[in-house]
Amino acid sequence: MGQYVAPIRDMHFVLHELLKVEEQLKELPAHAETDADIINAVLEEGAKFTSEVLFPLNHSGDREGCHHDAEAKTVTTPKGFKEAYKQYVEGGWAALACDPEFGGQGLPVVLNNSFYEMLNSSNQAWTMYPGLSHGAYECLKEHGTDEQKRLYLPKLVSGEWTGTMCLTEPHCGTDLGLLRTKAIPNEDGSWTITGNKIFISAGEHDMSENILHLVLARVPDAPEGSKGISLFLVPKFLPNQDGTVGERNPIFCGAIEEKMGIHGNSTCQMNLDGAKGWIIGQPNKGLNAMFVFMNAARLGVGMQSLGLTEVAYQNALVYAKDRLQMRSLSGVKAPDKPADPIIVHPDVRRMLLTAKAFAEGARALTSYVALQIDRELNHPDEDVRKECADEVALLTPIVKAFITDNGWIATSEAMQVYGGHGYIAEWGMEQFVRDARINMIYEGTNTVQSLDLLGRKILMDNGSKLRKFGEKIRAFVEEHGTDEAMSEFVTPLGDLGEKVTKLTMEIGMKAFQNQDEVGAAAVPYLRVAGHLVFSYFFAQMAKIALEKKDSGDRFYEAKLQTARFYFARLYPETAMLIRQARSGAANLMALDVDLF
Ligand SMILES: Cc1cc2nc3c(=O)[nH]c(=O)nc-3n(C[C@H](O)[C@H](O)[C@H](O)COP(=O)(O)OP(=O)(O)OC[C@H]3O[C@@H](n4cnc5c(N)ncnc54)[C@H](O)[C@@H]3O)c2cc1C
């Protein structure tokens, strides 16, 4: 059932040539020892684990799905998932980028990021179990008490226990201010929590000894809306002081949701029937604490779509070289065969190159963001830490929404390469499309990401974060603007930078009159911003490829052609998007609701 080969060569290119991670990590005391040999060795091992252990379970996991036993109140994951998780834990993979104080290996986020791409290419549904645990780890590490950290973090780090995020309720998704789950304080400092959550990924399963649910709820007399939300830690089994599991806590799976994709992941309705929990952080400040988890998860969802884009591309490429249909328009290419392989056809190449360019752009962007997180967490200079934090905040909604929208396009194009066979389950392509679709919805829909980018991260910030990132782009354009070989990349990059500046100011001015202008422009605006960022990385990658194009390594030739394709065929979408964003709110809002 298909294949997955980790794109190690391109990962090396991004990490070592584009980002020069070894040099960058030397500036960070916590990672100064992480050299290229360590990075490459981890990538090699990660590639083996993901392609040999996880990928073979992807299709079978999708077909089988998870099983809910209502009487026993248990969920069983698809055949092989539990054993693969055991191997993952024994291999120390859960601990890769965790703090050594809690048993972690202390390796950089940028390396974990590449590993997560491989995990997601191999099996997104499986990867969500450990992926959510990592978010829970980050949230508890930042907002937990010392006692909570002592008791829970080593278990999350080792992977013995997993985590979930329990936000959504039947009447409350995007608008968390509507949530109703209640928490009543107990005399011993714990809380009793009652309510119903839906759509909880990895909410119940058989892969780990215990599950730590991070639950949003309201305390008595909490203010209305999002200012009255608190965050609680609600373990499936109450832990004993020595870290063993004790009594079963009444937080049970009521049903598994029937859904379009990621069937191997249990999406659960969770009922809290007076479950015991402990508050994380301060009462009514739960959203603030949960944002640590949500930001990690947003980047994680971008990685899910990068993973799917890559694996869909790889399989479509193999198929396109093998499948014989029709002859090339420009003359027979395979005279010894009854027809030419479909890769000779220009439009098949367009589809393949679209997926390839989206994967390579996303790999560069997400690796860059991951490295900025390492710098934000570990750089000795406070100003640098702040600068990196600002950039990560700006780029997070772009990673989430731009990459997942692209993932949907790329998996669909890769399916199209197969013709009818792409639609047939046996080949595995339709699973990638189905799995990719959820990534645009959960963790804040892509509309919500666009509002976050344009409203909160740009306009409410007076454009300051965007300006700082823009300065980097301007410096690059200035440095290479006179290099003739670079002009095909630098000219459109500089041009788009100027257009984004103008567009931002225009929307900002209109928003003074009418806030709906922000909502009306946000989605095309985010895609334009995504292309600006991709253009910046493709221009940088093209520069390296031009320098190395006579090295004899044909990888650079491919990189250069991919950058050319990107600017010629994908970037031009920005002209249409800018027109859409500028068209204003009236064309959306004028129609009376009754006339729809
Ligand atoms: C498979 C799956 C797994 C999930 N996993 C989890 C999980 O682990 N934990 C968890 O807590 N939740 C989880 N969710 C829930 C998910 O995060 C929500 O579905 C998502 O946040 C959207 O909420 P909603 O479905 O209620 O849609 P709604 O909030 O009802 O939104 C409906 C539509 O309205 C739009 N909309 C809403 N408000 C605005 C606005 N202000 N401006 C413009 N448009 C707006 C939305 O973009 C969307 O298109 C999961 C969902 C699924 C399907």
Side-chain angles (χ1 to χ4, degrees):
M1 173 50 56
Q3 59 142 46
Y4 172 63
V5 181
I8 298 265
R9 177 66 182 94
D10 200 48
M11 286 178 172
H12 284 178
F13 172 78
V14 168
L15 297 178
H16 302 310
E17 297 182 66
L18 176 70
L19 301 178
K20 301 197 166 32
V21 283
E22 193 174 344
E23 246 171 66
Q24 298 271 348
L25 293 173
K26 283 219 178 346
E27 287 181 17
L28 315 179
H31 300 305
E33 309 290 310
T34 309
D35 61 15
D37 288 346
I38 295 177
I39 291 172
N40 296 348
V42 173
L43 292 180
E44 288 296 336
E45 286 306 309
K48 271 190 223 153
F49 174 73
T50 53
S51 60
E52 291 171 14
V53 179
L54 290 186
F55 186 68
L57 301 174
N58 192 42
H59 188 62
S60 56
D62 177 63
R63 301 312 295 256
E64 183 187 341
C66 296
H67 311 278
H68 178 225
D69 182 333
E71 230 163 80
K73 299 183 174 171
T74 56
V75 170
T76 311
T77 51
K79 193 163 174 285
F81 270 41
K82 192 174 167 177
E83 292 71 21
Y85 188 73
K86 189 163 179 276
Q87 262 182 273
Y88 173 86
V89 170
E90 285 170 359
W93 291 109
L96 203 67
C98 296
D99 193 334
E101 191 188 336
F102 303 106
Q105 296 186 38
L107 285 164
V109 175
V110 67
L111 179 55
N112 204 36
N113 188 69
S114 299
F115 177 54
Y116 260 81
E117 181 196 320
M118 298 180 195
L119 288 171
N120 282 308
S121 283
S122 302
N123 199 325
Q124 171 171 327
W126 184 95
T127 301
M128 289 171 70
Y129 296 95
L132 284 156
S133 308
H134 198 76
Y137 157 82
E138 289 191 13
C139 183
L140 261 185
K141 186 161 171 275
E142 195 157 328
H143 291 282
T145 61
D146 286 347
E147 177 57 8
Q148 286 168 347
K149 290 184 197 176
R150 182 194 69 77
L151 202 52
Y152 297 105
L153 284 184
K155 295 290 186 182
L156 283 173
V157 168
S158 67
E160 288 164 272
W161 297 357
T162 55
T164 74
M165 57 196 304
C166 299
L167 290 71
T168 307
E169 296 177 11
H171 58 285
C172 133
T174 302
D175 191 353
L176 292 169
L178 298 173
L179 74 83
R180 294 186 191 139
T181 297
K182 280 195 170 52
I184 310 289
N186 300 320
E187 277 178 7
D188 63 358
S190 68
W191 297 72
T192 298
I193 303 169
T194 306
N196 299 309
K197 298 284 177 182
I198 58 165
F199 299 171
I200 304 309
S201 301
E204 179 59 66
H205 58 81
D206 56 353
M207 283 163 58
S208 62
E209 180 189 36
N210 202 359
I211 303 175
L212 307 181
H213 301 281
L214 267 58
V215 178
L216 290 182
R218 285 185 185 286
V219 301
D221 302 322
E224 294 274 294
S226 58
K227 292 203 168 70
I229 297 175
S230 306
L231 179 60
F232 296 88
L233 173 58
V234 184
K236 173 178 168 181
F237 290 102
L238 300 175
N240 300 316
Q241 277 305 309
D242 62 359
T244 53
V245 294
E247 199 185 318
R248 180 71 165 90
N249 206 8
I251 174 167
F252 292 111
C253 171
I256 305 182
E257 313 284 2
E258 296 276 331
K259 57 189 190 288
M260 176 178 179
I262 51 166
H263 290 148
N265 195 270
S266 56
T267 309
C268 301
Q269 294 171 14
M270 298 300 296
N271 304 323
L272 294 100
D273 304 323
K276 193 166 184 173
W278 287 268
I279 199 160
I280 301 175
Q282 298 302 310
N284 302 323
K285 300 273 185 243
L287 267 192
N288 181 37
M290 198 60 165
F291 258 109
V292 175
F293 200 153
M294 284 154 82
N295 281 328
R298 286 172 179 182
L299 295 170
V301 173
M303 295 309 295
Q304 292 180 331
S305 281
L306 164 55
L308 289 174
T309 301
E310 172 64 32
V311 71
Y313 164 68
Q314 286 189 15
N315 284 280
L317 177 63
V318 171
Y319 190 82
K321 287 181 175 173
D322 186 57
R323 175 74 172 170
L324 308 178
Q325 290 294 299
M326 308 286 287
R327 287 296 183 188
S328 160
L329 292 170
S330 57
V332 173
K333 298 291 183 296
D336 53 327
K337 301 202 168 116
D340 286 334
I342 59 173
I343 198 165
V344 303
H345 304 309
D347 198 59
V348 170
R349 285 167 167 256
R350 177 193 60 75
M351 295 188 278
L352 291 169
L353 279 162
T354 297
K356 179 170 163 62
F358 278 152
E360 292 180 17
R363 186 167 300 119
L365 168 59
T366 56
S367 301
Y368 175 79
V369 172
L371 182 60
Q372 293 302 73
I373 294 175
D374 282 317
R375 286 158 53 79
E376 172 192 344
L377 297 176
N378 298 294
H379 201 283
D381 184 334
E382 197 184 330
D383 290 342
V384 175
R385 290 204 299 274
K386 163 90 176 68
E387 219 172 90
C388 294
D390 281 351
E391 239 184 45
V392 171
L394 178 76
L395 296 174
T396 295
I398 297 177
V399 167
K400 197 293 180 170
F402 189 58
I403 295 178
T404 60
D405 281 352
N406 294 344
W408 172 241
I409 297 167
T411 51
S412 176
E413 295 285 26
M415 183 170 113
Q416 190 80 4
V417 168
Y418 281 72
H421 299 275
Y423 200 70
I424 302 298
E426 180 194 345
W427 288 88
M429 291 305 292
E430 55 85 46
Q431 183 190 345
F432 298 141
V433 182
R434 285 187 287 106
D435 287 356
R437 189 61 184 84
I438 185 57
N439 301 342
M440 298 153 82
I441 297 174
Y442 57 21
E443 231 8 271
T445 63
N446 284 1
T447 303
V448 169
Q449 303 304 319
S450 307
L451 289 169
D452 179 47
L453 176 74
L454 179 58
R456 226 163 63 86
K457 306 275 171 65
I458 296 183
L459 297 179
M460 277 164 70
D461 177 57
N462 285 323
S464 141
K465 292 186 188 72
L466 179 68
R467 224 172 2 258
K468 279 203 195 121
F469 191 69
E471 276 159 22
K472 289 192 175 177
I473 296 178
R474 230 184 323 277
F476 182 85
V477 169
E478 249 169 53
E479 190 183 344
H480 302 287
T482 52
D483 178 349
E484 220 174 280
M486 280 295 288
S487 71
E488 61 179 308
F489 310 112
V490 168
T491 307
L493 171 63
D495 186 45
L496 189 57
E498 282 171 24
K499 284 183 173 145
V500 168
T501 305
K502 274 196 205 145
L503 179 64
T504 310
M505 282 179 5
E506 188 180 316
I507 301 168
M509 295 304 288
K510 285 201 231 170
F512 279 124
Q513 308 294 325
N514 178 5
Q515 279 292 312
D516 269 345
E517 294 290 347
V518 178
V523 167
Y525 182 93
L526 183 140
R527 261 198 95 67
V528 174
H531 275 297
L532 178 64
V533 175
F534 266 32
S535 300
Y536 177 48
F537 286 109
F538 269 114
Q540 292 178 67
M541 294 194 283
K543 182 181 153 284
I544 300 167
L546 279 168
E547 284 164 3
K548 304 254 177 86
K549 80 175 187 326
D550 299 324
S551 64
D553 183 346
R554 299 199 69 196
F555 172 86
Y556 298 104
E557 200 181 313
K559 188 59 83 180
L560 196 56
Q561 290 306 337
T562 308
R564 288 191 171 128
F565 168 84
Y566 170 77
F567 279 101
R569 289 261 173 183
L570 300 179
Y571 166 102
E573 180 193 8
T574 53
M576 179 194 72
L577 292 164
I578 289 171
R579 286 190 70 164
Q580 290 174 348
R582 294 187 65 195
S583 74
N587 56 54
L588 301 174
M589 306 312 284
L591 186 61
D592 193 285
V593 170
D594 295 335
L595 295 178
F596 265 85

